[in-house]
Amino acid sequence: MLILTTFGLDEYVYDALAVGASGFLLKDATFPELLHAIRVVAAGKAMLAPEITQRLITRFRHERPAPPPRPEAPNLTVRETEVLLLVARGHSNDEIAERLTITDHTVKTHINRLFAKLGARDRAQAVIAAYEHRYITPGQ
């Protein structure tokens, strides 16, 4: 459903979207804009008037709740941080041992300490904790 209206009040936009509208244009839209919006909505996509989109973005920025505070990061040793980064990259214990020139047993010890410090019960939780505590970032 595409709504074409004189009134671009946020409440009208929200109400239209709540009842299933996929498009919302103001009456001053040009014919090419209206034709484009009809095609977009008919294709199952969404279309909002640019000024409405800008207002919604501005409102979202101002009303968005602050993210919850990050839990305090545990103090990891340099070696534990290296092991955590390699775990996050998907390396096995053998691969970590080879890369860091340490024994497999030492890798297991570091991983067990990581689990304890991060409050993780497995590698997946350790990786999640590493992202949450910002030891690693996407693409690192």
Side-chain angles (χ1 to χ4, degrees):
M1 169 180 10
L2 175 64
I3 305 293
L4 180 65
T5 182
T6 305
F7 305 103
L9 300 173
D10 290 349
E11 293 76 29
Y12 293 167
V13 175
Y14 296 146
D15 289 345
L17 296 174
V19 297
S22 296
F24 197 98
L25 289 181
L26 300 177
K27 188 173 119 178
D28 63 352
T30 65
F31 180 73
E33 290 170 334
L34 180 58
L35 188 58
H36 176 70
I38 291 169
R39 289 182 175 139
V40 167
V41 172
K45 298 179 183 170
M47 180 76 185
L48 297 176
E51 55 270 23
I52 291 172
T53 303
Q54 185 60 50
R55 272 201 338 261
L56 292 176
I57 290 170
T58 301
R59 189 169 178 182
F60 172 79
R61 285 183 185 144
H62 293 301
E63 293 180 3
R64 185 176 182 197
R70 293 273 177 217
E72 188 173 319
N75 291 325
L76 300 182
T77 65
V78 173
R79 183 60 89 184
E80 288 168 343
T81 303
E82 290 172 331
V83 171
L84 181 59
L85 291 173
L86 293 171
V87 167
R89 290 186 183 126
H91 292 283
S92 69
N93 288 1
D94 290 337
E95 292 168 333
I96 294 170
E98 183 178 326
R99 182 168 269 198
L100 299 179
T101 60
I102 57 178
T103 67
D104 186 52
H105 178 71
T106 303
V107 172
K108 289 177 186 176
T109 300
H110 286 306
I111 290 175
N112 285 331
R113 288 184 184 150
L114 283 170
F115 287 178
K117 287 183 178 183
L118 296 172
R121 68 175 174 264
D122 57 30
R123 290 169 94 93
Q125 284 187 343
V127 172
I128 291 168
Y131 278 98
E132 288 175 346
H133 293 296
R134 297 191 177 124
Y135 281 108
I136 55 174
T137 57
Q140 184 178 13

